Amino acid sequence: MPEESGPTAELEKERLANLGDEELVDLFLDHLKTDRAAAHLYFESIIGRYQGLIAHIVRNSTYRFPAWDSADDVIARVNFKVYRGLALWRRQGKLSSFIARIATSEMIDTIRRVRRDKSYLPRISRAEEPDSDMPSAIDRAPSKEPSPEASMLDREQRKIIDSLLEDVCRDWKDSVIVNEYIIGAHDARTISEKYDMSEDLVYQRARRLRVRLIKWLADRGITSADQLLRSTRTGA
Amino acid sequence: MVKRSAHPDKQLFQYLGGGLDEQAASKIEAHLSGCPDCYAVASAVRTLRAEAPAEGLHPGVSDLASFFYGKPDAATARHVATCASCSNDLALYAQAERAAADYEPEAAGEVPRAVWEMVRDWEESNYAKPRPEGEALSHEMLARLARLLSERKDQLLDMKREVIANSSPGESPDAVPVLIIDRSGEFRGVEIFHREEGGAAGILKHSESSGRFDNRAVHALVGFKDREPVVITEVIRRDAIELNRISRLGSDPGRADYFIIED
């Protein structure tokens, strides 16, 4: 933590406050290996400007943090990762965008880590107690193992569906529109708000996806679901 | 052949999602019977709905971020198209990007203290992966633990008494309150462990009401001997902590107070 105080330090802080992001980042990187105290001061000036953005991204999420990993922890890790990664900031993009990306990635990483932590899942029933006489959910579940023939067919079907999706979806917007609009049947307004795109864009993309889908099917002579699935068996 | 402009683009997907009233639905059905293109699309979408939940591992967070920020990746594109969770993750990037575009940098806000701890750890480790080793705790960290111990001593003893008071007659649980500290030295809470037989000096087992330490990385168990902090052990990935390692330090586990430093 920068420890300087007094009038000189205040003047220096004021000077830094008037510098642009790029100048500050350059100063930070120049001093990182030679003068850590100065580098810390420059970093504090940079990241201090974006505390509001980081807090907004982390705290505005509907995700509920567990007791052992609070929003404050995530915010601290985001700050640290910005410190570690500032050299990777490409100047053609805004620094706010670079920081938003790090903050969001850290959020997603946290959410995934907690989901993997089985101790965070609430108990489902008494049957889950280790000494319970009741059969557990696992015991009650029917076998999910398909026959070897069925699993081969499943794999082949999956392959053709994967190939269809890979050819039709060209970027993230295509993928989420296939997911939410075409498969999920959610309305365009909800999708536009969720993914920050216009409603018109949702319709426009859906039309384009439909055209690609028709072409993909026509190229393979597929006109029905039966044929689509059969094509997996014939390798179409 | 139906003219391109006559294809019911919006309504077709609404129809397939069951979102049209009867009258509108019958119009689409009539169209489908005369339009092979739309019929093929409807057929394919129905197949996708029936067959397409995403399989396999989710793409890594950095791959997902790269995909959002414009790097084409067929495997991620295909996965996201059928994975609700990854699609929701992309929504987080979209919302953050909007917030970043609208953001006006403000007067410098305070940087959390924990950040400087992480920075210092990283610099002291010569810019290695920032993960503290259990036995490489700094003197400053140990001093902080000692301070925390004296601040929380009463709380620890009260908890221990409460556990003993609530135990069944004839049962004498050896309750061990454990302070949980994060890697930057911030206090996270107190958890009750129970000392059990096993090993040379027993085992600390976490209370049954919580499986919190299952499969979690515990960085260090720190004990105090004659008021001097000693690091007892390092990373353990179990809900039970074997205390027999204490013996190599010649400490008395019965008199130790414990901290767990976790990631």
Side-chain angles (χ1 to χ4, degrees), chain A residues 37-56:
Chain A
H40 289 184
L41 192 65
Y42 298 133
F43 177 71
E44 192 178 40
S45 297
I46 302 162
I47 201 69
R49 296 174 180 179
Y50 293 96
Q51 289 305 310
L53 176 65
I54 296 170
H56 172 84

Side-chain angles (χ1 to χ4, degrees), chain A residues 74-93:
Chain A
V74 179
I75 288 171
R77 289 202 295 272
V78 171
N79 275 271
F80 172 59
K81 287 188 175 176
V82 173
Y83 185 94
R84 267 200 307 172
L86 260 181
L88 301 173
W89 175 43
R90 284 177 297 179
R91 312 301 168 95
Q92 62 265 41

Side-chain angles (χ1 to χ4, degrees), chain A residues 40 48-49 73 83 96-97 104-105 112 117 119 157-158 166 175 179 182-183 194-196 207 210 224-225, chain B residues 7 9 38 43 49 51 53 59 77-78 80 83 87-88 93 95-98 100 103 109 123 188 211 216:
Chain A
H40 289 184
R49 296 174 180 179
D73 295 327
Y83 185 94
S96 60
S97 175
T104 311
S105 294
R112 287 183 175 186
D117 184 348
S119 66
Q157 284 179 3
R158 186 71 222 182
E166 282 181 12
S175 295
N179 187 320
I182 296 180
I183 299 179
K194 182 173 174 183
Y195 295 95
D196 190 43
R207 264 198 305 278
R210 180 183 165 286
S224 71
Chain B
H7 291 304
D9 285 323
C38 286
S43 215
R49 284 193 181 146
E51 304 278 333
R78 160 214 343 137
V80 171
C83 174
S87 188
N88 287 336
Y93 282 111
Q95 288 155 13
E97 196 51 35
R98 161 57 51 203
Y103 186 75
E123 288 170 345
R188 283 281 168 261
R216 283 179 67 79

Side-chain angles (χ1 to χ4, degrees), chain B residues 158-175:
Chain B
D158 285 349
M159 283 185 77
K160 183 168 180 163
R161 282 190 206 104
E162 194 181 334
V163 170
I164 292 170
N166 291 334
S167 59
S168 315
E171 188 194 356
S172 57
D174 195 352

Side-chain angles (χ1 to χ4, degrees), chain A residues 1-2 21 32-33 36 39-41 43-45 47-54 56-57 61-62 67-70 72-73 75-77 79-80 83-85 90 94 96-98 100-102 104-109 111-113 115 117-120 123 129-130 154 157-158 161-166 169-176 178-185 187 193-196 200 203 206-207 209-211 213-214 217-218 222-226 228-229, chain B residues 4 7-14 16-18 31 35-41 43-45 47-49 51-55 58-62 64-70 72 74-116 118-119 122-124 126-130 182 188 208-216 262-263:
Chain A
M1 186 183 306
D21 285 345
L32 194 55
K33 294 285 163 70
R36 281 181 188 168
H40 289 184
L41 192 65
F43 177 71
E44 192 178 40
S45 297
I47 201 69
R49 296 174 180 179
Y50 293 96
Q51 289 305 310
L53 176 65
I54 296 170
H56 172 84
I57 291 170
S61 157
T62 52
W68 65 87
D69 203 4
S70 67
D72 289 340
D73 295 327
I75 288 171
R77 289 202 295 272
N79 275 271
F80 172 59
Y83 185 94
R84 267 200 307 172
R90 284 177 297 179
K94 285 171 74 177
S96 60
S97 175
F98 176 79
R101 174 177 177 161
I102 291 176
T104 311
S105 294
E106 187 57 36
M107 280 280 298
I108 295 170
D109 205 34
I111 295 168
R112 287 183 175 186
R113 202 165 50 235
R115 281 191 193 133
D117 184 348
K118 63 188 166 79
S119 66
Y120 187 54
R123 291 283 169 95
E129 299 291 341
D154 283 350
Q157 284 179 3
R158 186 71 222 182
I161 286 169
D162 284 351
S163 148
L164 180 158
L165 292 170
E166 282 181 12
C169 299
R170 308 269 164 86
D171 63 15
W172 76 269
K173 286 178 181 160
D174 286 345
S175 295
V176 299
V178 166
N179 187 320
E180 300 261 11
Y181 187 75
I182 296 180
I183 299 179
D187 67 277
E193 284 166 6
K194 182 173 174 183
Y195 295 95
D196 190 43
D200 279 349
Y203 292 131
R207 264 198 305 278
L209 285 161
R210 180 183 165 286
V211 169
L213 194 55
I214 289 171
L217 296 167
I222 296 168
T223 56
S224 71
D226 279 352
L228 176 61
L229 295 182
Chain B
R4 189 205 167 281
H7 291 304
D9 285 323
K10 283 185 199 173
Q11 292 85 347
L12 177 62
F13 294 123
Q14 284 173 342
L16 291 167
H31 176 86
C35 177
D37 279 356
C38 286
Y39 181 78
V41 168
S43 215
V45 170
T47 307
L48 283 174
R49 284 193 181 146
E51 304 278 333
E55 286 184 341
H58 297 295
V61 176
S62 59
L64 204 58
S66 298
F67 181 55
F68 176 83
Y69 285 96
T76 305
R78 160 214 343 137
H79 179 93
V80 171
T82 55
C83 174
S85 170
C86 288
S87 188
N88 287 336
D89 289 345
L90 288 178
L92 292 179
Y93 282 111
Q95 288 155 13
E97 196 51 35
R98 161 57 51 203
D102 293 344
Y103 186 75
E104 290 295 332
E106 52 195 27
E110 199 179 330
V111 180
R113 193 169 59 86
V115 177
W116 298 113
M118 292 181 203
V119 166
W122 187 52
E123 288 170 345
E124 282 177 2
N126 210 15
Y127 308 103
K129 196 180 173 207
D182 72 15
R188 283 281 168 261
E208 282 182 21
S209 61
S210 162
R212 183 181 154 192
F213 291 98
D214 287 355
N215 301 319
R216 283 179 67 79
E262 60 176 345
D263 201 2

